[in-house]
Every structure is written in C-alpha cells, then in structure tokens.
Amino acid sequence: MGYMGDYSMCICFPKKFGVTEAGPPVDVKEVFMKYATGGSGMTVEHLRWFLVEVQGDVEASMEDAERIVEEVFKRRHNNVKLSELALSLEDFQFYLFCVDLNPPLLNKVHQDMTAPLSHYFIYTGHNSYLTGNQISSDCSDVPIIKALKRGLRVVELDLWPNFSKDDVLVLHGWTLTTPVELIKCLRSIKEHAFSASPYPVIITFEDHLTPDLQAKVAQMVIQTFGNMLFCPSESDCVKEFPSPKELKYRIVISTKPPKEYLEDKNLSSRGSNSLKDKDSDEDTWGRMSADLTNDDDKSDCDASEHSQCDGDNEACDRLLRPLGAPAYKNLISIPAGKPKGKLREKLKVEKDKVRRLSLSEQKFEKATVCHGTDVVRFTQRNILRIYPKGTRVNSSNYNPLIGWMHGAQMVALNMQGYGKPLWLMHGMFGSNGGCGYVKKPDFLMNVGPNDQVFDAKAKLPVKKILKVKVHMGDGWHLDFKQRYLWSSPEFYTRVGIAGVPADKTMKKTKKRKGNWTPVWDEEFTFQLTVPEIALLRIEVHEHNMSEKDDFAGQTCLPVSELRPGFRAVPLFNRKGEKFTSLRLLLRFEFVQVDI
C-alpha cells in the first residue's frame, strides 16, 4: 500500500464502515470521577484543581478553567453560558483530545534570549533554494518561503555570476539545477522572514563572485532590507556575537570575508577547482569522484585542508570598494572561514575574536572522534555549522543529534527532503515556542576544573525517568483518502527516545484490530542520562499481513518541554505536515532521580 501523506475529508466513510467513537479510557474515567467528586459533572472549580494537580499547571486560575469550559460548550453544545454548567465525562474527554486547548508543549517563548547567538541551537537549512534533489531540481524562492513560515532562521544561498557576468544568480554550482535570481530570493526573505518568529534571520552566502559582483550583492542587500539589516561595528573583528533579543526583526549576513584573488586565476570560469576550493564550504560537485572521496575517507583525523584567507588585509579592502558601491565586507556580521592547519587548529578558540566554521558531516564526525571536547569548547563562543555530505544527491539528511550533543548551533538539513532526521529537526525546534532558537543546555556551556567540558562519550548516570502512557488515537477515518482506507485496521504505536547513545530506544504497543479509534492503554518507561537533548519519537503504523506495515502518522517532541499529565498530541505525515484530525491521547509523568 502506498504512502498516505495526501489526505482529505471523507464524509461518507463513517457510515459505510460503521466507525464508532471509542469511549473514554479507564484512566480518564477514574480521574474524572475523582475531580468531579463522584458526581456527573466537573465544575469550573473542579477543572482548575485537575489542571493544578494532574496537568502540572500550578498557576492555573479560575479564568483559565472558565475559558476551557466555555470553549468546550461552544464547540460541543453551541452554548457559551457558564452559569451552573459543568463538564460531563464526554465533554471532559473532548477537552483532553483538543490539541489547541490541551497541547503537549508550551506555545510561547520562555527561554532566556539575551545570551550571545553561540549559546543557541538555530533552525538551519541547507541549500534552502532547492525544490528537490541536489543535481537537477529547480532553484526557487518557494522552498525558502515555506521554510520561513515553518520557523527556519538560517537560509543558505549559493551565489554565482550569470552567463554575461553582470548579475547574480542562486543555484547549486556544477549541477543541472535551474537558477533563480538573487533579488527574487532576497525580496521573498524580506516579506516572510518574521511570519513565524520575531527572532533574527541569518542568511549564509556561499560566495563564488568577483569583487564587482560582491559590490552589486551589497547594493541589493542594503536596498532590499534597509533598516532591517544588522551591520556590525567598524571594528576589524567580532569579539562576541549579539543576542537573539538584540537582533529581533533583523536580517544578519554570514559569509567568508572577501579576499584577494590571484591574477593568474580565471574568475569567470565555473570549472576552476582553485576558486571552488577556496571559496566554498561545500563539497566540490565538479570533481565528485576520486580526490574528494579519497579525502573524506582518510583515516587521519588531522588531514590538512585548503587554507582559507581571513580577509583582514588592506588589499582585500581595496578590492571591495568600487566607486559608489557599498562595501560587501561591512555587511558581514558573522564572519566565516577556516584557519590554516590541521583540524585541531581549525577548532582553536581565539580570545578576542569569534567566527563561524563549517564542516561537512564526515569531517564533523572525524572531529568528534578525535577532538570531541575541542568541538564542544569551540562552540561555547564560536558558531559551528554542519552540512550534508556531497553524495546525498537525493536531498537526504544525517542524524542531527550528533551535532547538538557536541554544541553545534547550525546543524543544516535539506528542508525539502523527508525522513527521520527531519522529524528530529522539527521536534527539536518545537521547543521554546517554535521561535527557531533553542537555548543550549547548561552542560554544553559549563567549564569545569582543568578547563573540562562536556564529553559526549562519557558514561553518565540516569538523571530523569519519563513515563509515557499511550491511551488512544483518533482521526484516521477523516484524514486519509477513501482508496487508502483499511476495512479492518490493526493499529499499533511505536514510542521511543532519540538522544545520546545510552538513551536511544524504541518500544511498541500491541496491535488493536478492527477499531478506528484504537485504545491501547499501555505505559512505557524511559531512563534518561541526558534528558536535556532527548526527543520523544512517536510513530503509528497499520499492520499489513502481505506487505510492509503502512505508515499512519508520526511526531517528535522535545522531552525537556513536555507538559505533564494527559495531553493531545497531533500527528504529522512523512514530510512533517500536520494532519487535520489525527491525534493521540497520551499521559506524561516525570520521575526525578537523586544523583
């Protein structure tokens, strides 16, 4: 059976297949009886005590409870008069199953937003302009707009000269991707940058331009964004990054500072390996075979890479400033680049200067194996960006958790793809109200005796226990087209943890046959050593005797942000798009462990 991500309302289905609404689970009945004090109705006062004692909403007021009761009666009974009204058991279950009234996460920014940018995980895209694969898909502003509406905060644009060398295009170099004009991308970013979050949008330029075209880019950027653009001070280097709060509603540019170009290099040739090697963070598509693959497969963790110019010399500045054109260099708030030398040198922390370093997923993995604590130490002040390896031509992704557990702020994924890595990305950035900035845990920022920092390889004790009870699910008969529906479904749920290796696990419920609103009432316990970056993974499948089990929804939730108690959890399709009606009723409980 095919993928069922495409869905629509099916009006005739309940009648045809006899779908009946499941009654409340046993636990829901018991908690209702307890807080309704044995009566047939739960008053506003009763509901407030339920919110405080079971749901953990210790500051819940009578007004909060009244709002819930009012909404339930409006939706179920077309009645908003609160006098003498109380929730029945069915009303109570309806409330628990309402995602907007009873969500699993707090839907507002609640973390400290005044620390430097290096203290945050940042929602980051890779090749943000591509509509599909890395080789032949179209370049467009449409995927950029879609990602910004979802909350993405770092947009990557690859800049190339057009054929006549008088304008700038966005495309994936040395491939068959069709270009899009830079100005179109910039205007779309301006229009949609803050549709989902007020916090800064960072544009990373992958720059393959001559100085005159860099000057033209500077003009475009200034004319497009105006006062929205954040420009650094006149100092030669950035000593500390500003905070997300300082940069609210601002556009920030990050790229390598411009440098001198050797006169004997042909800058107009896209085939120049020298230019690509020097200018690009990305894998070189033009020579994907022998030497690139061999370089990535070297066992020497400190293998030398091409040196990068830091752009601080006077000759570089002179090249930057054609008459009448704004200085490209002065737009760069987050300078990027790699110092000369081996990998450990690239991770060197400078006292009076911060920067952004980019590593491919392979080089990053080597760095974590050989210099894991150096990576963590680097990311405490500097920004580390990781990007997918060049062989991911179908826009697949890598596991982002390896980056987060080492403090990497910009873990860049192909947002136009789909699959488990992207589910994890969506889950992580559901944190902190979905604003695109998640404060890194204290353990990644702390420095202990003898300059010690967090070691992801160290064996750690259990810090917290999470209990997840899977009560029931609903909505499949509404969210899938009729041709995809099963005559006698057997739904089961997989529940697990994604996080550090010691916490990783996956469990599943029993199958529930022939019920479109399956009730499982099964509880799972998870012991967590690093709950701060753990993600709760949930998948629903329908058992298929003759073929592979059918996908029937998924979600991923940050453990540190889970609200305790009974919660309505919405489900998403493979691409991370939320279903209209699909949801689960779960109960979360945390048990603190004395260490």
Side-chain angles (χ1 to χ4, degrees):
M1 188 170 289
Y3 159 54
M4 298 170 296
D6 189 14
Y7 53 86
S8 65
M9 191 70 73
C10 180
I11 303 299
C12 64
F13 176 78
K15 183 176 180 180
K16 181 176 179 181
F17 287 96
V19 173
T20 57
E21 185 177 340
V26 174
D27 287 6
V28 172
K29 292 178 182 177
E30 289 180 353
V31 79
F32 176 83
M33 292 301 293
K34 177 180 178 181
Y35 285 91
T37 61
S40 60
M42 182 181 283
T43 66
V44 170
E45 176 64 18
H46 294 152
L47 180 61
R48 189 181 79 86
W49 279 113
F50 166 78
L51 296 175
V52 171
E53 295 183 356
V54 178
Q55 304 295 83
D57 298 338
V58 293
E59 297 181 358
S61 64
M62 287 291 288
E63 289 74 18
D64 295 327
E66 286 177 357
R67 178 182 59 83
I68 291 171
V69 173
E70 178 180 348
E71 280 298 315
V72 170
F73 271 85
K74 185 188 298 183
R75 298 179 193 185
R76 292 205 79 217
H77 308 295
N78 196 28
N79 185 343
V80 296
K81 295 181 179 178
L82 293 176
S83 57
E84 303 300 324
L85 293 180
L87 298 178
S88 67
L89 175 58
E90 291 72 21
D91 292 332
F92 181 62
Q93 182 188 15
F94 177 87
Y95 151 64
L96 292 180
F97 238 143
C98 282
V99 173
D100 61 328
L101 297 180
N102 187 34
L105 305 176
L106 195 63
N107 190 26
K108 66 178 182 179
V109 176
H110 59 89
Q111 297 176 354
D112 174 24
M113 302 300 284
T114 62
L117 290 177
S118 55
H119 290 223
Y120 299 83
F121 299 131
I122 310 174
Y123 205 174
T124 303
H126 173 255
N127 288 350
S128 307
Y129 51 86
L130 287 180
T131 57
N133 68 64
Q134 304 285 308
I135 298 294
S136 60
S137 67
D138 290 338
C139 301
S140 170
D141 62 333
V142 173
I144 297 172
I145 295 169
K146 185 176 180 180
L148 289 171
K149 287 182 176 181
R150 184 162 196 132
L152 190 83
R153 298 292 88 191
V154 183
V155 175
E156 182 189 24
L157 301 177
D158 281 21
L159 308 184
W160 292 90
N162 66 353
F163 183 77
S164 57
K165 311 298 185 293
D166 61 357
D167 202 359
V168 180
L169 301 176
V170 173
L171 74 153
H172 198 197
W174 293 292
T175 69
L176 302 176
T177 56
T178 56
V180 59
E181 291 182 344
L182 171 62
I183 190 64
K184 185 174 184 180
C185 294
L186 296 179
R187 287 170 178 167
S188 292
I189 291 171
K190 178 183 180 181
E191 182 178 353
H192 300 281
F194 307 109
S195 57
S197 169
Y199 291 97
V201 167
I202 301 169
I203 305 175
T204 62
F205 287 149
E206 190 70 27
D207 178 359
H208 306 274
L209 304 175
T210 55
D212 58 328
L213 286 179
Q214 289 174 342
K216 185 164 186 172
V217 169
Q219 287 179 314
M220 288 186 196
V221 168
I222 290 172
Q223 290 172 0
T224 301
F225 296 115
N227 293 334
M228 293 170 66
L229 186 67
F230 174 79
C231 292
S233 64
E234 293 296 324
S235 61
D236 290 334
C237 61
V238 180
K239 295 183 179 179
E240 185 177 64
F241 295 119
S243 71
K245 183 177 180 181
E246 291 176 89
L247 295 172
K248 284 179 79 170
Y249 297 107
R250 305 299 288 273
I251 301 293
V252 177
I253 303 298
S254 177
T255 188
K256 291 185 179 73
K259 57 184 179 290
E260 289 182 84
Y261 289 86
L262 300 177
E263 291 181 1
D264 60 348
K265 298 297 179 184
N266 179 10
L267 295 182
S268 65
S269 171
R270 291 190 181 184
S272 169
N273 284 343
S274 174
L275 178 62
K276 177 68 177 179
D277 292 345
K278 284 175 175 286
D279 281 3
S280 178
D281 289 334
E282 299 289 348
D283 289 351
T284 307
W285 288 87
R287 50 187 186 90
M288 192 79 117
S289 55
D291 53 357
L292 176 67
T293 304
N294 291 339
D295 178 65
D296 282 338
D297 290 341
K298 288 176 184 176
S299 59
D300 179 9
C301 292
D302 283 332
S304 295
E305 300 175 23
H306 296 282
S307 62
Q308 302 290 332
C309 171
D310 61 12
D312 289 335
N313 54 61
E314 292 182 5
C316 188
D317 287 344
R318 286 197 299 273
L319 284 171
L320 267 177
R321 294 189 170 98
L323 290 176
Y328 182 77
K329 180 180 178 182
N330 293 341
L331 301 180
I332 302 171
S333 302
I334 303 178
K338 301 173 185 176
K340 296 178 181 179
K342 297 184 178 181
L343 190 53
R344 175 165 266 172
E345 292 300 310
K346 291 173 172 53
L347 294 168
K348 185 177 179 180
V349 178
E350 301 178 65
K351 279 189 176 182
D352 57 351
K353 188 176 181 180
V354 292
R355 58 192 166 91
R356 170 172 71 83
L357 173 67
S358 288
L359 296 174
S360 69
E361 62 175 285
Q362 305 110 306
K363 290 174 183 176
F364 175 71
E365 287 175 9
K366 292 177 185 177
T368 61
V369 170
C370 300
H371 312 294
T373 55
D374 290 326
V375 173
V376 174
R377 196 173 287 110
F378 178 85
T379 60
Q380 290 183 336
R381 292 194 67 235
N382 300 280
I383 290 176
L384 179 60
R385 174 179 171 269
I386 309 167
Y387 58 89
K389 60 187 178 183
T391 52
R392 294 188 180 277
V393 296
N394 62 347
S395 292
S396 62
N397 287 302
Y398 55 96
N399 181 359
L401 277 159
I402 190 172
W404 295 327
M405 70 179 67
H406 287 88
Q409 295 88 350
M410 295 184 180
V411 179
L413 295 189
N414 292 304
M415 301 303 294
Q416 77 277 23
Y418 59 90
K420 292 176 184 177
L422 211 52
W423 301 351
L424 298 179
M425 176 76 94
H426 296 156
M428 168 62 80
F429 290 101
S431 303
N432 202 24
C435 74
Y437 287 83
V438 176
K439 191 80 158 51
K440 294 202 287 189
D442 290 342
F443 68 78
L444 285 172
M445 302 304 301
N446 293 339
V447 179
N450 302 317
D451 201 29
Q452 291 178 341
V453 295
F454 176 72
D455 184 356
K457 299 175 186 175
K459 187 175 181 179
L460 300 171
V462 173
K463 185 184 291 187
K464 188 175 287 189
I465 294 174
L466 169 65
K467 293 183 178 180
V468 179
K469 190 158 188 178
V470 184
H471 286 293
M472 63 184 299
D474 193 18
W476 287 278
H477 63 288
L478 297 174
D479 274 342
F480 289 99
K481 285 186 176 178
Q482 191 169 350
R483 68 176 179 271
Y484 290 131
L485 295 174
W486 313 273
S487 58
S488 183
E490 290 187 64
F491 290 116
Y492 64 91
T493 301
R494 299 181 71 230
V495 184
I497 297 293
V500 297
D503 295 346
K504 185 179 177 182
T505 186
M506 207 72 185
K507 307 175 182 182
K508 68 178 182 179
T509 66
K510 295 182 176 65
K511 303 178 186 71
R512 289 292 178 260
K513 187 173 182 179
N515 196 336
W516 287 95
T517 53
V519 177
W520 294 284
D521 276 342
E522 293 185 47
E523 186 174 78
F524 304 99
T525 300
F526 302 101
Q527 296 186 335
L528 305 174
T529 61
V530 188
E532 295 90 342
I533 60 172
L535 296 165
L536 179 66
R537 283 188 54 212
I538 301 169
E539 298 175 13
V540 180
H541 296 268
E542 198 278 326
H543 180 60
N544 191 321
M545 291 289 289
S546 60
E547 302 176 29
K548 184 179 178 181
D549 289 354
D550 292 310
F551 172 84
Q554 61 82 23
T555 193
C556 192
L557 301 167
V559 168
S560 63
E561 301 245 333
L562 286 176
R563 303 171 73 197
F566 296 88
R567 299 293 172 183
V569 176
L571 295 181
F572 300 78
N573 67 17
R574 292 185 189 273
K575 292 187 177 181
E577 299 160 340
K578 187 163 74 171
F579 287 113
T580 304
S581 304
L582 232 60
R583 64 210 189 280
L584 300 175
L585 181 62
L586 307 180
R587 185 172 184 177
F588 305 119
E589 181 184 355
F590 288 101
V591 180
Q592 197 68 37
V593 178
D594 295 329
I595 300 176

